[in-house]
Amino acid sequence: MTNFAFGTQAIYVRLILMFFLLFFTSCLSKHQENITRKYSKPNIIIVMLDDLGFSDISCYGSEIPTPNIDALANNGLKYTQFRNAARCCPTRASLMTGLYPHQAGIGHMMNDLGYEGYKGDLSIKSVTIAQVLKSAGYITYMAGKWHLTRFTKPLDSTHNWPIQRGFDKFYGTLPGYGSQYNPVGLMENNNFISPPKEFYYTDALTQKSVSYINEASETQKPFFLYLAYTAPHYPLHATKKAIDRHRGRFSKGWDSLRSTRFGRLKNLGMLRPETKLPERDGMSISWEDEPNQGWQESRMEAYAGMIEHIDQGIGNIMRALEVNEQLDNTIIFFLSDNGGSAEGHINNTVERWGTPWKSPLIPEKTKNGEIVTSGDFVGLELGPEHTFGSYGPKWSNLSNAPFRMHKNWVHEGGISTPFIVHWPNGIEDKGTMRHQRGHVMDIMATCLEISGATYPTENNGHSIKALQGISLVPSFRNNGLDRKEPLFWEHEGNRAVIRDRWKLVSAYPGSWSSMMEFENHGNWELYDLEIDRTETNNLAAQFPEIVEELSKDWKHWADNNGVVNYRDLNLETY
């Protein structure tokens, strides 16, 4: 009996030892896997915001607290001279392809204007970052706003939907904007779905992104995540809890706050000490002359609430990376698609070019059947689902501080974006600034370099246009960038070229002209960006030879990249 008990006891001991051996081996294997992944190809995350102005986050001078975004900057790099393509879908086309918007087929918006550069549909002669990284062994995910095809309905062609353009999984919307509570056309992969009863789009995109990170971390493959929030684009929807935290924050008004942001940007070293703050755009009255200050404050409070939802989302993304031991080996790009928007709402329309435009993305009723009040009506506090409004040009002057103009224009207020790069394994002097001049189309080339992927010359039988962007990797070590050509812009007749220290720019005479009082409308202006980043001293009359040189450069670029004279485009159906 004793021998039997002893034998049974020995078996138990062996089983326990085997269990601990297997457990230890498993942990060692998992640890080894994490070590292997730590030094493998980096994961890549692009976080794109919608209509966020240059100084709308606190690490870029804002009074709006953004602690999680600030943490990205404090442990990464802040760029002071990074630019976009002035409008939502042209910027996204340039980002995804590494081309200028017209080369990618999206020189205007989601409408076919009869020219190759204005198809409103991503060109078959382009490839996306997702397609390139997928060929290099990456798992590819997207959550959020696509806005790269005019085919957005269930029975439309799917050829330019995210799944067909290189993403393994997609959760989001194809059109440009919509309700945070009930967005039109919510999708999972290629299938249209209905949002649940309790739903807030920004938070849902964060949650889906976290699930993608968790899923990818179970594999031994690197991942690419494109997180494209629709916030803080109108309608200004945010939860009451988020809005309440910003009550009273904007009581000093746009003039005082704009001046304060300007001072902070100087103190941060983002602007030279001699930089001047431009006058407000003609479309904006002084705060003292504003007859509805309390209501105006509430609009900006709702806008800040949207930014708070984003900032909390960034915190959740960072925690997911940390829990999965992927933070150090993940590079995160954070930026906005254009400057703050001067667009306003009239009844159930959006004001564009000074005239009302009916939008199919503005719902008539909420999910519960309540009538949606669409418009910027005095006394209507934005935030709840039954509202649909914007903050207008007076506050976008603040969002775009210290620069002139807004989304759509190619003066600095329209094309300057906060740009943060966070990559523990690839950046040494964390918390510093970079003044190298970057463009949204450079992100493709940067992804190519850090992933080892190859940019193709052909895809699905179509020749691919030559990459236009350059890698930003040298700037991570504070070295110069290898840009051999000037940078160019055109959107709705607004034009610009930057070469060395000089910027040549003009605003199209008919572009929202009824909203503006603009001294030099339609004429070329010349600025020395080295000493006048805010475009306050027009030197065109002093240096006509430089104006002539740069205007010829711009014309050559336009003729060779599918740019059409804005007067010749048929926008009647848009």
Side-chain angles (χ1 to χ4, degrees):
M1 187 72 174
T2 303
N3 290 340
F4 176 76
F6 178 78
T8 303
Q9 204 172 35
I11 292 172
Y12 285 150
V13 170
R14 289 193 188 97
L15 287 173
I16 291 171
L17 288 173
M18 288 177 64
F19 171 78
F20 278 110
L21 181 62
L22 288 171
F23 178 76
F24 176 76
T25 303
S26 175
C27 290
L28 185 64
S29 175
K30 185 69 176 178
H31 179 64
Q32 185 62 44
E33 179 184 316
N34 288 334
I35 291 175
T36 302
R37 291 205 57 183
K38 180 178 178 181
Y39 297 103
S40 67
K41 294 180 179 181
N43 308 309
I44 299 171
I45 298 177
I46 299 174
V47 181
M48 173 73 83
L49 273 62
D50 201 344
D51 287 8
L52 181 87
F54 180 80
S55 59
D56 272 336
I57 53 178
S58 54
C59 56
Y60 275 72
S62 180
E63 64 288 332
I64 304 171
T66 50
N68 294 300
I69 297 171
D70 292 357
L72 280 182
N74 294 335
N75 293 288
L77 301 172
K78 289 188 296 185
Y79 284 71
T80 66
Q81 295 262 357
F82 197 86
R83 294 173 174 89
N84 51 55
R87 194 78 170 275
C88 36
C89 47
T91 289
R92 290 158 205 273
S94 196
L95 166 73
M96 277 289 105
T97 64
L99 306 174
Y100 281 107
H102 307 79
Q103 295 176 311
I106 303 180
H108 187 240
M109 296 291 283
M110 295 295 94
N111 46 332
D112 187 353
L113 300 179
Y115 298 91
E116 184 179 354
Y118 299 82
K119 289 293 185 183
D121 197 39
L122 208 56
S123 173
I124 59 174
K125 297 178 182 178
S126 68
V127 288
T128 68
I129 294 176
Q131 288 173 298
V132 174
L133 291 179
K134 191 172 183 178
S135 69
Y138 278 69
I139 308 171
T140 56
Y141 302 104
M142 181 183 171
K145 168 180 170 176
W146 182 235
H147 210 197
L148 292 177
T149 179
R150 65 181 187 275
F151 300 101
T152 61
K153 296 182 176 63
L155 297 180
D156 283 349
S157 171
T158 65
H159 67 284
N160 264 332
W161 291 7
I163 296 297
Q164 283 68 31
R165 275 303 200 151
F167 288 96
D168 292 311
K169 291 188 177 182
F170 167 63
Y171 176 85
T173 45
L174 299 175
Y177 69 99
S179 169
Q180 285 284 330
Y181 301 99
N182 190 20
V184 173
L186 185 64
M187 299 180 68
E188 182 95 44
N189 299 326
N190 280 341
N191 302 312
F192 288 87
I193 60 175
S194 297
K197 185 176 181 180
E198 298 298 324
F199 182 85
Y200 185 78
Y201 195 23
T202 295
D203 294 349
L205 294 178
T206 297
Q207 292 162 9
K208 182 60 69 171
S209 297
V210 167
S211 73
Y212 287 155
I213 291 169
N214 292 338
E215 177 184 292
S217 298
E218 293 299 317
T219 74
Q220 295 189 39
K221 291 184 176 182
F223 69 84
F224 168 55
L225 168 62
Y226 175 35
L227 171 54
Y229 288 115
T230 55
H233 192 296
Y234 63 79
L236 301 187
H237 284 161
T239 60
K240 184 178 184 302
K241 185 177 180 181
I243 295 173
D244 283 348
R245 277 194 279 268
H246 301 280
R247 297 297 185 194
R249 193 179 299 282
F250 307 99
S251 60
K252 293 182 179 179
W254 41 74
D255 291 320
S256 176
L257 293 173
R258 186 167 176 261
S259 179
T260 301
R261 287 191 185 188
F262 179 59
R264 288 197 193 105
L265 288 165
K266 281 189 175 182
N267 291 336
L268 288 168
M270 289 192 173
L271 299 174
R272 294 168 64 108
E274 66 270 23
T275 305
K276 296 179 180 178
L277 181 65
E279 294 294 322
R280 274 181 282 99
D281 294 328
M283 64 183 73
S284 176
I285 66 173
S286 70
W287 180 250
E288 286 73 19
D289 293 334
E290 170 57 49
N292 302 294
Q293 292 183 354
W295 171 66
Q296 290 285 11
E297 286 181 53
S298 73
R299 300 170 83 187
M300 195 64 184
E301 288 162 359
Y303 181 80
M306 296 185 81
I307 293 175
E308 177 166 316
H309 279 282
I310 294 168
D311 187 73
Q312 291 174 352
I314 298 298
N316 291 336
I317 295 292
M318 300 299 285
R319 282 187 286 275
L321 290 170
E322 195 166 16
V323 166
N324 287 288
E325 299 184 18
Q326 298 300 316
L327 183 60
D328 288 349
N329 197 38
T330 299
I331 182 168
I332 301 172
F333 301 100
F334 174 95
L335 71 160
S336 175
D337 60 354
N338 44 247
S341 173
E343 293 167 296
H345 288 264
I346 306 172
N347 297 328
N348 197 36
T349 62
V350 181
E351 189 178 41
R352 304 171 68 89
W353 310 289
T355 59
W357 174 71
K358 173 74 173 180
S359 170
L361 300 177
I362 301 178
E364 294 183 2
K365 295 182 179 181
T366 68
K367 286 182 290 186
N368 295 328
E370 187 177 1
I371 297 295
V372 171
T373 302
S374 173
D376 301 329
F377 298 111
V378 174
L380 178 66
E381 291 202 1
L382 303 177
E385 184 181 355
H386 71 272
T387 67
F388 203 104
S390 64
Y391 68 172
K394 300 171 185 179
W395 284 119
S396 61
N397 267 276
L398 173 64
S399 285
N400 299 327
F403 303 124
R404 292 170 57 194
M405 308 304 285
H406 317 259
K407 165 186 177 179
N408 187 73
W409 286 280
V410 295
H411 284 75
E412 291 295 281
I415 60 175
S416 297
T417 172
F419 184 64
I420 299 169
V421 180
H422 182 279
W423 186 18
N425 281 356
I427 294 172
E428 293 183 357
D429 48 344
K430 299 173 178 63
T432 56
M433 280 185 291
R434 292 291 183 263
H435 303 291
Q436 290 86 340
R437 193 170 289 149
H439 188 280
V440 66
M441 66 183 176
D442 297 335
I443 292 178
M444 164 72 94
T446 308
C447 290
L448 292 173
E449 180 168 349
I450 64 178
S451 67
T454 302
Y455 186 79
T457 57
E458 182 270 340
N459 183 61
N460 291 331
H462 301 286
S463 60
I464 301 302
K465 294 181 181 180
L467 187 65
Q468 299 296 300
I470 62 170
S471 174
L472 299 170
V473 169
S475 69
F476 298 170
R477 300 181 293 273
N478 209 17
N479 295 325
L481 299 178
D482 187 26
R483 196 182 307 280
K484 296 180 173 58
E485 299 292 332
L487 288 168
F488 299 94
W489 287 265
E490 189 280 333
H491 185 68
E492 294 188 346
N494 301 305
R495 305 168 295 166
V497 52
I498 294 178
R499 188 187 71 188
D500 300 325
R501 68 191 299 154
W502 298 107
K503 179 178 179 181
L504 194 69
V505 60
S506 73
Y508 183 68
S511 181
W512 290 1
S513 57
S514 66
M515 300 171 64
M516 296 176 53
E517 295 170 13
F518 197 50
E519 180 182 357
N520 220 28
H521 231 124
N523 297 325
W524 284 117
E525 306 161 44
L526 180 68
Y527 299 102
D528 183 348
L529 294 179
E530 289 294 318
I531 58 175
D532 185 23
R533 177 76 197 284
T534 51
E535 301 170 318
T536 60
N537 186 22
N538 182 6
L539 300 173
Q542 293 177 240
F543 299 100
E545 70 283 0
I546 296 177
V547 173
E548 183 177 2
E549 287 176 20
L550 292 180
S551 62
K552 285 182 178 178
D553 286 347
W554 186 90
K555 185 67 166 58
H556 178 77
W557 168 80
D559 290 342
N560 286 278
N561 288 279
V563 178
V564 175
N565 189 316
Y566 190 60
R567 293 182 179 87
D568 297 334
L569 296 176
N570 178 19
L571 295 172
E572 292 180 2
T573 59
Y574 178 58

